[in-house]
Structure formats: structure tokens, C-alpha cells
């Protein structure tokens, strides 16, 4: 028979018993598993970043990395292509867009640049995008000049909506466009164009339109004749005058002003001496008959 | 008695705190082993045992999540002999159970078998102020039980009301709300040696544990190994332990008597060791492997090889027949059982309606013990195993663990004790503030 060895049954020491119990405490375990590592991480991070040089070095490194990524050839823009603009306008656009090519597309703020281009007088609408192959594509819709405005500051070209297109050196450069004059005439370009349209039968005699008191139009003809139009219903009034003219050759006579401001009471102003002249002619005619 | 009342109530509060926390440890300090179980209380609502299965005996609301046993050191006759050794043994058991439970336990409910328990049957009687019995009346009648002089250094371990009588009606479980003029009660009081209990308390305190309850192991092993019918009709539980043999008598689901015989399995081992001239450890081994209580013809031929641990293996080879071994063991077993018989006779066990005797504890695993016991104790003898408890490991379901399992049930379903009721006003110190508060509460 084998000698009987009692099974070893060692008792824990008081210290190990206490540590064991401490380790089995849920709060302590949570503290050790979550609290201590997070404290170490936060503390180490805080210690590392407490030095200004290190912070700066990391910021520099970051910026460098960013720069090197942004300046990869895939993102570089080499030239600008402008579509839909005349030579002068594209020169203007190149002037107002201060871009030094080549440049990274990350550095281009297309929205701001579009605002700058659209802010040009001659540009009605502008689209900017970066095309394949590193091309900054600027697509422009130009404003079309419709009238010449003779204002206190000189001659200007306006489009059909009254927006300024470009200054004009001399009237003769754009002889094909009608002339308007007067303060704030640019605000009523739409009506002016309608009047121009209506005044097509008087085209040979038409000198231009003058804005009076910034509220109504005068049609200025040659021989210093004027047709004064009302504030509202100007086109109809002009059509009435033209109808009279076509029926009675009214405007061929010695008139100075056809006043249509009051629709119920159209008024004519004769040229000075016209009445005397007419009487003389009448008396002559009568004399001839009498003789 | 007032100090006792306060200390027991403090213990009860501690147990409530442990229940609220949901984890409590069970510590059975025995002479041969120290067992520690860790219980987790889920609350009764968590229990789902299928249709028609209610919570049986209250064991459903908890679960054993840790169990550990260690060889007992420094305990003799169920009493602490060497404090440092016992403390280390308790530490070993508690730490292993905690490790299995993966949980730290702070509250412990302990039981011990020694400390020479003594039973007293007390009775008290009061006239009811109003005709309806209130909780206050119950407290008053319990307080009116005239306690005998328990003697020097005796501490009350249990004080359970076992019977109430109202006028001429006796045998009430709960008199509250009933109408009568005179309320009487019988109370069973179990006292134990204060110094022995103090030693246990000190050991537990040294292990950084809080004591949440204390019970006699004879009582708790009765709870776990007697079935409900036996507890109701009357039965005795005999817990054959290592150093002591506990005796407890139950009737109407109340313990009415408990005692211990200071003889146990260790004495049988010592007899074998002396008789066969072998070391104690080997004697224990021979006892557990080949021991018995009744010899047959076959046992004469069944030779057991024994060898003294003298280091002279070649010369020192002896053989002994199993019949000889049984011949050594049997007189000691008979002695134990006759002592138990004497205790049962002294308690008047023969007057009970049913005289079922249940043998439990590690010693009841001796083959043929039930036959021997029925000759000495009476015809109705059976071997008992503890109730099955959820989560208990297989190794801890044997009869040796009946007091540990019983302590679990005791923790889950404590019986009413005297200190569960409010202390009647007359018992308060004459000039205490609480007495004034009580007076106001009772009169408004």
C-alpha cells in the first residue's frame, strides 16, 4: 500500500487573501482596466504636448504633409481657358483674376473667383470649373449692348436691361445703336427699347430719346421737334402721334412740340412765326384768287 | 436579554443588507471540513420553473455560484481550538469559493456544530388589551416568556416561537388578527457557549467578513435533509459529523429540540488508528474505502493491506480482514448511536406522533449504518441527503454537505425568531428617547 500523502491544501496569506478580494471588487477592476490606462494615455499625451517646440514641430509636419499632397500633379492647374468672351473681356478677366499658374486646385476658391468675374460689367453670367488636364475653364456669357446712353459722365453702352456694358469713346463708333439721354435713363431702358420699336416709321427722323425728370420720355426728332410722352402709356401715345403723322403728315409741318402728356388734350406748339407765315401764305393764295 | 435582542437585530439587518446586495456566503465550520458556498439571490420574480412548480421551500430564489471545501484545521468537537489555523482554513475556503464565483463576498452566514447547545422550552401568557391580536401583542407575549437562568457565558442562538394558543385554541401558526382574550405562546430557545461563538466571530472578522447570521448546524441540517412531511409530523435529524453528532427534533415545521453528542467520525478514525497501529491519515482512508457497520461471512475473507508508515516497507507489511476493521468500528458507532438514543429519550422523542429518524452528515455513508441504527434508534430510520439546490456542484451534493445546504435554505427563508418582532415598550430602558417615540406612535 502506498503511503498516504495528504493532499496539499495551502492557505493563502492574509496579504494575498486581501489582494484577491480587492481584485474581485468590481469598482477596483473597472478602475484598473479603464481608469488607469486612460489616465496614462491622457497624462502622457499632455506631457508630450506641454512643450511648445513639439507642438510646433507637429503642426509643421502636418502642414508639410498637407502641402505635399495638395501639390501632387493630379491636383495642379496649369492654365486658364476663357470661352464666350471677346478679346478685351478675356484680357479683363485675366487681369482681375490674380492667379499665378501653376497652382494647386485646393488653393483656388472657385466661388469667390466666379463672383469676381461676374462682377465685371460686360459679363452677364460666368461659370468656372477645373477641367481634366489641369485647366481652369471660365465660361462667360457677355452682355450685348443695346443702347448708347449719353449721361453727364459721358457715353456708355447699356444692354437691354439697362446694365452698363462698357464706356464708349465716341458716338460714331456705335452708330448702329440708338441713343438715350437724361438722368436715370438707364433704369428705363426696357421702355426705351419698346418706344424705339414703336417709332420705327420715324426712323429717318429720330435723333434719340430723352429722359425728362427721371420719369418720362421725350422723343427727339430732327428739326428740333419733340414728342412729349406721358409717364404711363407712352407707347400708345407715340403710336397715336405716328398715326396722325401718317394721316396728315403732321410732323412735316412747322411744329416744335407735340405734347401728349395729357391724353385727353393733345397739344401742338407751333414754331414762332409759323402763324404769321401761314397767314401770309393764305393771303397770297387769296390775292391770287382775287386777282 | 436586551443586549442579545440588539445584537441579533443587528445581525438580521446585516442579512437584509446582504440580500439587497444579492450575494452572501455560507460558511460551515466543521471538525473535518470547512465548506464555503457563495449564493446569489435573484429575487423570487426571476424564478420560472414551468407550470405548477412554485418555489419549493424557498430554495428557488437563490443560486449557488461558488463552492469550495477545505480540510478543516484547528477545529475539535466543532469548536475552534487553534484560532490561527482555523482562520487560515476559512480564508482558503472563502478565497476558493470567491474565485469560482468571480465575485467578492462581504457577508457571511455561519454555522457551527459545537458549543454545547442546550434547548429550553419557554412559555408565556398575556391578557390582550383589545380583543384582536396585533403584532405588538405577539411581541409582548414573546417577551413575557420567563427565561430561566441560562448560566454563565451562554448566548442565545435561536429563539423561535413554535406555538401560539388563544384562549383554548392551541396549535396556531400565526395568531395575528384573531380574536380572543388570552394569548399564550411556546418558545424554543437554543443557547450556546458564548466563548466558542466569540472565537468564531473573531475568526470571521479576521477574514474581513461581516457576520450576517449564525445558526446551529444541527438545526440547519434538519432543515435541508428532512422532507416537508417529516418536519410537519415529527422527525429527528441526526447529523453524524466529524467531531460531533448533532441531534435535532422537528414537529409542525419547527425545531423543538437540538443537542449534540461530542462523538463523531474522528473518534472512529482514532479507534482504527490505535487498533491497527496505522497513522491517522491512513486510518481515515481505510475507513472511507473499506469501513462498515455490519460484518458478514464474506468480510472474513476480504483482506485489507495495511502498512505502518515506518519507512520499513519490506518488513512492515500487514493484512487485516474487513471483519476485524468492522469489529473495531462497530462498538464506537454503537456508542454514538446509544448516546443519541439517550438524548432523544431525554427530549421525549417517543411521545411524538411520528418517529422518523433521518441520518445525515458524512458519517452516514458507512455501509450498513442504517441497519445498525434501526436496531438502536427505532424502526423508522432512513439515510438522508440534502435537498437539491440550484447550481450546487455535484461534489457538494453528498450528505456531508447537509448543514451547508441547510444554511442556504436558512439564509433564503429564515424562520421567525423572537427578535423579528418589535420590542415591546416595557423592555426599553426607562428613560430612552426611543421609548418616548414609541409611546407617541402608539398613542396617535
Amino acid at each position: 500500500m502506498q503511503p498516504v500523502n495528504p493532499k496539499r491544501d495551502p492557505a493563502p496569506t492574509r496579504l494575498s487573501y486581501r489582494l484577491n478580494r480587492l481584485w474581485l471588487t468590481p469598482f477596483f477592476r473597472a478602475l484598473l482596466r479603464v481608469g488607469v490606462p486612460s489616465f496614462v494615455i491622457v497624462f502622457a499625451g499632455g506631457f508630450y504636448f506641454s512643450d511648445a517646440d513639439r507642438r510646433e514641430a507637429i503642426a509643421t509636419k502636418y502642414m508639410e504633409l498637407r502641402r505635399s499632397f495638395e501639390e501632387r500633379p493630379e491636383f495642379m492647374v496649369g492654365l486658364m481657358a476663357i470661352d464666350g468672351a471677346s478679346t478685351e473681356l478675356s484680357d479683363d478677366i485675366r487681369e482681375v483674376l490674380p492667379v499665378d499658374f501653376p497652382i494647386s486646385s485646393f488653393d483656388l476658391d472657385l466661388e469667390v473667383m466666379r463672383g469676381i468675374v461676374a462682377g465685371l460689367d460686360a459679363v452677364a453670367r460666368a461659370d468656372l470649373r477645373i477641367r481634366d488636364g489641369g485647366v481652369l475653364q471660365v465660361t462667360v456669357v457677355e452682355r450685348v449692348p443695346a443702347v448708347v446712353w449719353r449721361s453727364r459722365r459721358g457715353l456708355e453702352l447699356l444692354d437691354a436691361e439697362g446694365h452698363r456694358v462698357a464706356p464708349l469713346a465716341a458716338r460714331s463708333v456705335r452708330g448702329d445703336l440708338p441713343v438715350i439721354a437724361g438722368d436715370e435713363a438707364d433704369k428705363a431702358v426696357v421702355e426705351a427699347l419698346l418706344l424705339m420699336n414703336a417709332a420705327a416709321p420715324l426712323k429717318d427722323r429720330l435723333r434719340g430719346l430723352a429722359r425728362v425728370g427721371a420719369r418720362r420720355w421725350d422723343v427727339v426728332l430732327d428739326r428740333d421737334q419733340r414728342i412729349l410722352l406721358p409717364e404711363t402709356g407712352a407707347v400708345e401715345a407715340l403710336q397715336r402721334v405716328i398715326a396722325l403723322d401718317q394721316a396728315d403728315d403732321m410732323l412735316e409741318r412747322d411744329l416744335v412740340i407735340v405734347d401728349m402728356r395729357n391724353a385727353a388734350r393733345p397739344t401742338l406748339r407751333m414754331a414762332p412765326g409759323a402763324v404769321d407765315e401761314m397767314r401770309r401764305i393764305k393771303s397770297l393764295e387769296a390775292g391770287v384768287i382775287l386777282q | 436579554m436586551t443586549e442579545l435582542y440588539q445584537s441579533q437585530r443587528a445581525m438580521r439587518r446585516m442579512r437584509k443588507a446582504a440580500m439587497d446586495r444579492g450575494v452572501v456566503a455560507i460558511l460551515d465550520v466543521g471538525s473535518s471540513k470547512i465548506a464555503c458556498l457563495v449564493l446569489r439571490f435573484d429575487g423570487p420574480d426571476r424564478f420560472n420553473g414551468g407550470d405548477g412548480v412554485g418555489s419549493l421551500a424557498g430554495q428557488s430564489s437563490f443560486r449557488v455560484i461558488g463552492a469550495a471545501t477545505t480540510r478543516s484545521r484547528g477545529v475539535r468537537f466543532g469548536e475552534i481550538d487553534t484560532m490561527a489555523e482555523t482562520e487560515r482554513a476559512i480564508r482558503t475556503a472563502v478565497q476558493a469559493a470567491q474565485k469560482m464565483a468571480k465575485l467578492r463576498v462581504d457577508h457571511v452566514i455561519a454555522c457551527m456544530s459545537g458549543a454545547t447547545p442546550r434547548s429550553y422550552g419557554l412559555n408565556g401568557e398575556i391578557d390582550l388589551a383589545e380583543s384582536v391580536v396585533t403584532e405588538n401583542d405577539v411581541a409582548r407575549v414573546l417577551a413575557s416568556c420567563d427565561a430561566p437562568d441560562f448560566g454563565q457565558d451562554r448566548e442565545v442562538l435561536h429563539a423561535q416561537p413554535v406555538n401560539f394558543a388563544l384562549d383554548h385554541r392551541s396549535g396556531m401558526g400565526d395568531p395575528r388578527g384573531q380574536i380572543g382574550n388570552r394569548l399564550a405562546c411556546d418558545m424554543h430557545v437554543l443557547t450556546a457557549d458564548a466563548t466558542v461563538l466569540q472565537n468564531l466571530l473573531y475568526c470571521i472578522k479576521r477574514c474581513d467578513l461581516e457576520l450576517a447570521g449564525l445558526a446551529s448546524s444541527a438545526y440547519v441540517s434538519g432543515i435541508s435533509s428532512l422532507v416537508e412531511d417529516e418536519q410537519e409530523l415529527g422527525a429527528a435529524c441526526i447529523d453524524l459529523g466529524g467531531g460531533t453528532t448533532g441531534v435535532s427534533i422537528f414537529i409542525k415545521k419547527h425545531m423543538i429540540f437540538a443537542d449534540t453528542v461530542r462523538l463523531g467520525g474522528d473518534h472512529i478514525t482514532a479507534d482504527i488508528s490505535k487498533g491497527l497501529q496505522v497513522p491517522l491519515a491512513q486510518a481515515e482512508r481505510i475507513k472511507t474505502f473499506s469501513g462498515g457497520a455490519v460484518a458478514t461471512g464474506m468480510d472474513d475473507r476480504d483482506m485489507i493491506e495495511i502498512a505502518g508508515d515506518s519507512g520499513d516497507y519490506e518488513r512492515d507489511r500487514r493484512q487485516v480482514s474487513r471483519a476485524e476493521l468492522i469489529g473495531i468500528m462497530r462498538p464506537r458507532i454503537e456508542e454514538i448511536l446509544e448516546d443519541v438514543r439517550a438524548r432523544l429519550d431525554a427530549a421525549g422523542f417517543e411521545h411524538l406522533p411520528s418517529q422518523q429518524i433521518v441520518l445525515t452528515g458524512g458519517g452516514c455513508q458507512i455501509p450498513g449504518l442504517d441497519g445498525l441504527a434501526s436496531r438502536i434508534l427505532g424502526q423508522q430510520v432512513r439515510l438522508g441527503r440534502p435537498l437539491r439546490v440550484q447550481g450546487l456542484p455535484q461534489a457538494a451534493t453528498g450528505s456531508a454537505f447537509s448543514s451547508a445546504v441547510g444554511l442556504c435554505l436558512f439564509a433564503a427563508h429564515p424562520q421567525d425568531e423572537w427578535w423579528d418582532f418589535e420590542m415591546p415598550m416595557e423592555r426599553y430602558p426607562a428613560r430612552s428617547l426611543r421609548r418616548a417615540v414609541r409611546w407617541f406612535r402608539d398613542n396617535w
Side-chain angles (χ1 to χ4, degrees):
Chain A
M1 196 171 195
Q2 293 294 312
V4 182
N5 291 322
K7 201 176 145 199
R8 247 177 75 77
D9 193 7
T13 60
R14 261 175 94 74
L15 183 68
S16 78
Y17 173 77
R18 285 212 169 131
L19 286 177
N20 191 274
R21 278 170 66 78
L22 186 65
W23 179 238
L24 286 171
T25 311
F27 176 74
F28 180 77
R29 273 188 101 118
L31 191 75
L32 223 60
R33 283 170 50 184
V34 179
V36 170
S38 48
F39 173 76
V40 166
I41 288 168
V42 167
F43 183 79
F47 179 76
Y48 188 80
F49 283 108
S50 63
D51 189 11
D53 290 349
R54 292 203 192 107
R55 273 206 304 273
E56 201 172 316
I58 283 175
T60 316
K61 187 79 193 163
Y62 171 73
M63 290 310 291
E64 237 169 64
L65 272 174
R66 202 188 149 97
R67 210 59 250 166
S68 71
F69 178 77
E70 286 175 356
E71 290 184 351
R72 288 166 75 99
E74 294 88 32
F75 301 123
M76 295 306 279
V77 175
L79 56 106
M80 174 156 59
I82 299 171
D83 278 358
S86 59
T87 326
E88 305 92 60
L89 182 57
S90 57
D91 286 347
D92 284 350
I93 289 171
R94 279 175 207 286
E95 204 170 296
V96 297
L97 287 184
V99 183
D100 298 330
F101 294 109
I103 188 170
S104 167
S105 59
F106 287 94
D107 295 337
L108 291 174
D109 191 343
L110 291 181
E111 200 49 44
V112 168
M113 288 162 71
R114 200 191 71 81
I116 292 171
V117 173
L120 288 174
D121 287 332
V123 175
R125 208 177 68 238
D127 290 320
L128 268 78
R129 67 190 179 89
I130 291 166
R131 225 170 54 191
D132 286 346
V135 177
L136 176 62
Q137 173 74 48
V138 183
T139 309
V140 171
V141 177
E142 260 192 274
R143 291 187 193 281
V144 182
V147 291
V148 177
W149 178 31
R150 188 185 293 277
S151 70
R152 288 176 199 279
R153 282 172 298 174
L155 286 169
E156 277 175 4
L157 287 171
L158 302 182
D159 72 352
E161 287 151 9
H163 199 281
R164 190 173 171 278
V165 177
L168 193 64
R171 169 75 179 96
S172 52
V173 177
R174 294 302 299 264
D176 54 327
L177 294 180
V179 184
I180 57 174
D183 291 340
E184 296 187 19
D186 55 335
K187 305 247 171 74
V189 171
V190 177
E191 198 187 9
L193 288 174
L194 284 175
L195 288 173
M196 290 287 182
N197 241 355
L202 301 174
K203 199 174 168 195
D204 297 336
R205 298 196 55 206
L206 188 68
R207 293 277 304 276
L209 297 177
R211 190 74 170 159
V212 178
R215 58 190 166 86
R216 61 176 197 84
W217 287 107
D218 276 5
V219 180
V220 181
L221 305 175
D222 57 357
R223 292 202 285 121
D224 285 342
Q225 282 186 333
R226 276 180 174 250
I227 304 170
L228 276 56
L229 296 176
E231 280 174 58
T232 55
V235 177
E236 288 77 18
L238 183 59
Q239 278 166 349
R240 278 175 69 190
V241 172
I242 289 168
L244 278 174
D245 180 43
Q246 282 169 347
D248 298 336
D249 287 338
M250 184 180 72
L251 294 174
E252 297 300 320
R253 299 174 192 241
D254 199 2
L255 298 174
V256 180
I257 284 168
V258 181
D259 187 350
M260 298 297 288
R261 286 177 294 182
N262 190 341
R265 189 171 56 85
T267 311
L268 301 180
R269 189 191 298 170
M270 316 293 280
V275 177
D276 292 343
E277 185 67 16
M278 194 179 75
R279 280 186 187 144
R280 197 182 60 85
I281 292 169
K282 286 248 173 100
S283 66
L284 276 180
E285 280 175 357
V288 169
I289 293 164
L290 285 174
Q291 280 171 3
Chain B
M1 288 288 265
T2 309
E3 290 150 47
L4 161 84
Y5 189 88
Q6 302 295 0
S7 71
Q8 289 282 6
R9 272 194 91 102
M11 207 135 77
R12 189 52 64 105
R13 270 201 300 278
M14 197 80 79
R15 175 154 63 199
K16 215 157 238 163
M19 295 283 178
D20 289 344
R21 188 184 280 194
V23 176
V24 71
I26 293 299
L27 195 64
D28 174 21
V29 182
S31 327
S32 63
K33 63 153 179 37
I34 291 179
C36 178
L37 306 180
V38 179
L39 307 186
R40 195 183 59 211
F41 289 91
D42 299 328
D45 45 322
R46 297 270 193 87
F47 176 68
N48 46 355
D51 281 342
V53 182
S55 54
L56 295 164
Q59 81 272 33
S60 57
S61 61
F62 66 86
R63 188 181 171 83
V64 179
I65 55 170
T69 318
T70 185
R71 182 167 54 87
S72 181
R73 284 155 279 188
V75 182
R76 286 177 66 219
F77 302 118
E79 293 161 11
I80 291 170
D81 191 48
T82 319
M83 293 254 273
E85 283 288 306
T86 312
E87 184 201 322
R88 290 174 60 197
I90 291 174
R91 262 195 334 241
T92 313
V94 169
Q95 180 166 339
Q98 278 179 350
K99 190 178 174 187
M100 182 171 163
K102 296 197 190 76
L103 210 65
R104 171 194 167 137
V105 286
D106 290 323
H107 301 275
V108 67
I109 298 177
C111 78
M112 68 184 319
S113 53
T116 56
R118 245 175 259 157
S119 273
Y120 297 89
L122 313 182
N123 49 29
E125 229 179 32
I126 55 157
D127 286 319
L128 292 174
E130 292 150 37
S131 55
V132 178
V133 180
T134 61
E135 191 145 340
N136 203 19
D137 291 324
V138 176
R140 271 174 59 220
V141 74
L142 290 176
S144 75
C145 292
D146 43 349
D149 185 15
F150 295 130
Q152 275 276 299
D153 283 341
R154 300 293 290 181
E155 193 86 63
V156 175
L157 210 53
H158 297 286
Q160 297 166 339
V162 294
N163 184 29
F164 288 98
L166 198 54
D167 294 341
H168 301 293
R169 295 183 294 137
S170 185
M172 277 181 214
D174 187 356
R176 281 175 299 173
Q178 307 216 39
I179 295 172
N181 294 317
R182 260 187 105 60
L183 182 67
C185 87
D186 296 314
M187 186 155 71
H188 173 236
V189 174
L190 192 72
T191 64
D193 257 343
T195 48
V196 177
L197 297 183
Q198 286 296 327
N199 288 348
L200 179 66
L201 254 61
Y202 182 72
C203 273
I204 288 171
K205 190 172 272 181
R206 290 268 295 169
C207 293
D208 303 333
L209 298 166
E210 302 257 26
L211 194 69
L214 197 57
S216 157
S217 84
Y219 169 52
V220 290
S221 57
I223 294 179
S224 74
S225 49
L226 297 184
V227 299
E228 212 162 334
D229 291 351
E230 290 166 344
Q231 283 185 20
E232 178 70 35
L233 299 174
C237 174
I238 292 159
D239 182 3
L240 292 150
T244 56
T245 298
V247 180
S248 58
I249 299 176
F250 281 73
I251 190 166
K252 291 178 75 90
K253 299 200 175 143
H254 286 292
M255 176 176 67
I256 55 165
F257 176 79
D259 204 347
T260 55
V261 176
R262 287 162 77 84
L263 286 170
D266 287 350
H267 297 90
I268 302 174
T269 309
D271 285 349
I272 295 169
S273 172
K274 287 172 195 158
L276 302 181
Q277 307 244 321
V278 288
L280 270 175
Q282 199 182 347
E284 179 74 27
R285 187 184 158 83
I286 292 170
K287 182 183 82 172
T288 42
F289 276 99
S290 342
V294 180
T296 61
M298 177 67 186
D299 291 331
D300 286 330
R301 299 191 294 279
D302 190 355
M303 301 307 282
I304 305 163
E305 219 168 303
I306 56 170
D309 200 8
S310 56
D312 193 2
Y313 182 69
E314 296 299 323
R315 304 279 162 74
D316 186 13
R317 302 190 67 176
R318 286 170 285 150
Q319 280 190 327
V320 68
S321 72
R322 187 158 180 252
E324 278 177 278
L325 177 67
I326 290 171
I328 295 171
M329 289 174 69
R330 184 173 170 125
R332 183 62 87 172
I333 298 170
E334 279 174 351
E335 187 194 355
I336 295 171
L337 291 177
E338 269 158 15
D339 262 15
V340 169
R341 171 87 248 173
R343 302 293 163 102
L344 289 179
D345 286 345
F349 182 62
E350 69 265 28
H351 303 300
L352 291 193
S354 156
Q355 289 169 26
Q356 180 79 42
I357 288 174
V358 177
L359 298 173
T360 185
C364 83
Q365 291 162 350
I366 300 171
L369 180 72
D370 45 345
L372 185 58
S374 63
R375 268 194 224 161
I376 298 171
L377 298 175
Q379 284 305 309
Q380 292 174 296
V381 172
R382 73 170 180 95
L383 299 181
R385 289 162 70 81
L387 218 64
R388 288 165 66 142
V389 167
Q390 218 183 1
L392 197 66
Q394 178 67 34
T397 53
S399 53
F401 287 85
S402 61
S403 57
V405 173
L407 207 51
C408 296
L409 303 179
F410 172 75
H413 256 222
Q415 239 166 0
D416 282 344
E417 305 242 16
W418 174 50
W419 34 81
D420 290 337
F421 295 95
E422 281 284 332
M423 198 173 178
M425 201 163 56
E426 304 86 59
R427 288 302 186 109
Y428 281 116
R431 296 170 64 164
S432 92
L433 186 66
R434 291 177 64 185
R435 183 170 179 157
V437 171
R438 270 295 295 274
W439 186 83
F440 268 97
R441 213 167 64 191
D442 289 351
N443 288 281
W444 258 287

